[in-house]
Amino acid sequence: MKAIILLGAPGAGKGTIAEGIKSATDYIHVSTGDMLRAAVKAGRPVGLEAKSFMEKGELVPDNVIMKIVTERLEEGKADARYMFDGFPRTTEQALMLDEVLDGHGGRVEHVFLLDVPRDVLVDRLSGRRVCKSCGAVYHIRNIPSKVAGVCDLCKGPLYQRSDDTEETVLNRLEVFKKQTQSLIDYYEKKNVLVRVDGSKKKEDTHAEIVSVLRTAFCSS
Ligand code: AMP
């Protein structure tokens, strides 16, 4: 079991990049944010535990996160490759992930840190709109839908995530800044951190990451 991690502030483009990598490789995409939103929507107990933290832009407790991640990994085959997006968010989660992977004879191969300036992040998040039916992501100025408020793909209604409002966005960025430096240090020491410029066009960021993955694959 091998893993790569997409690390970056909310709005850094982890989800978009993950979609591209998923279609170009055999990595299984695991987004803890998506899993939590699905659990909240379905009224599952983990969703109820997570909801109030998510609404404030705070981190959900590590035990809740590890429960959903471990369950997800147990569903997969022993030789699966995972791409984590939005996880780990703390050094404690990183340590627990290493332990779980180790138990399956696996490890974290690369951690891609998507670097994006703060003003770009705030703009991306507060202008983001998501389709309620199919989950497609738009931006009111950068990637507008053809008809305002309606998804181009499935005609579903677009909405603003409750944690994408400006006040919550600022808190999420603050939480990210506080939690992430130690995580960066942790992966830097393990020699698996790859810094990527996430403010470029998504095709360029994608190409940079895929090239690292292909080089690693060819030399393994
Ligand atoms: P995201 O979609 O990754 O921006 O996550 C949305 C929200 O879900 C975050 O603001 C947190 O409240 C929660 N969340 C997602 N992943 C994690 C994680 N690994 N650790 C703690 N909280 C998380």
Side-chain angles (χ1 to χ4, degrees):
M1 197 178 271
K2 290 181 176 163
I4 60 168
I5 292 166
L6 299 178
L7 185 60
K14 301 183 294 294
T16 310
I17 292 296
E19 282 306 314
I21 295 177
K22 195 168 81 176
S23 35
T25 65
D26 60 357
Y27 281 94
I28 299 167
H29 180 199
V30 178
S31 157
T32 42
D34 286 350
M35 288 161 80
L36 291 170
R37 278 184 288 280
V40 171
K41 202 170 163 190
R44 288 181 52 207
V46 277
L48 298 179
E49 277 183 81
K51 194 168 186 265
S52 63
F53 295 96
M54 295 173 76
E55 277 169 354
K56 287 183 279 186
E58 299 291 339
L59 291 186
V60 172
D62 289 339
N63 65 321
V64 177
I65 298 295
M66 288 318 295
K67 191 150 89 191
I68 58 167
V69 171
T70 313
E71 270 173 23
R72 184 78 174 77
L73 295 184
E74 274 161 9
E75 287 165 13
K77 293 191 190 135
D79 60 350
R81 292 164 182 265
Y82 290 94
M83 167 175 48
F84 292 106
D85 147 13
F87 170 85
R89 293 270 232 277
T90 62
T91 315
E92 289 71 26
Q93 291 179 14
L95 287 164
M96 289 192 258
L97 174 64
D98 280 349
E99 211 172 289
V100 175
L101 289 173
D102 204 35
H104 289 83
R107 66 191 167 91
V108 172
E109 295 186 296
H110 303 286
V111 178
F112 295 99
L113 173 63
L114 302 177
D115 254 334
V116 179
R118 184 187 156 89
D119 54 335
V120 177
L121 294 172
V122 174
D123 176 69
R124 280 187 186 171
L125 289 168
S126 50
R128 175 160 72 180
R129 298 292 181 272
V130 183
C131 173
K132 210 161 212 156
S133 310
C134 73
V137 179
Y138 297 85
H139 185 281
I140 48 173
R141 282 178 303 280
N142 308 343
I143 324 166
S145 56
K146 288 188 190 119
V147 177
V150 180
C151 178
D152 292 349
L153 303 176
C154 74
K155 308 285 176 241
L158 303 187
Y159 77 108
Q160 181 176 42
R161 268 172 49 177
S162 59
D163 59 352
D164 276 349
T165 54
E166 194 150 344
E167 193 193 336
T168 312
V169 161
L170 296 178
N171 191 34
R172 286 165 71 200
L173 293 179
E174 213 39 55
V175 168
F176 175 79
K177 207 164 101 192
K178 260 196 244 147
Q179 300 283 354
T180 316
Q181 193 51 51
S182 58
L183 205 50
I184 294 172
D185 296 344
Y186 179 78
Y187 286 123
E188 213 151 33
K189 275 198 202 111
K190 286 185 164 273
N191 234 352
V192 290
L193 193 80
V194 183
R195 287 175 194 272
V196 179
D197 181 354
S199 62
K200 292 190 296 193
K201 279 204 313 214
K202 67 176 182 196
E203 292 78 9
D204 296 341
T205 310
H206 169 85
E208 203 175 323
I209 294 178
V210 169
S211 136
V212 172
L213 293 176
R214 295 239 154 95
T215 311
F217 185 73
C218 292
S219 58
S220 69

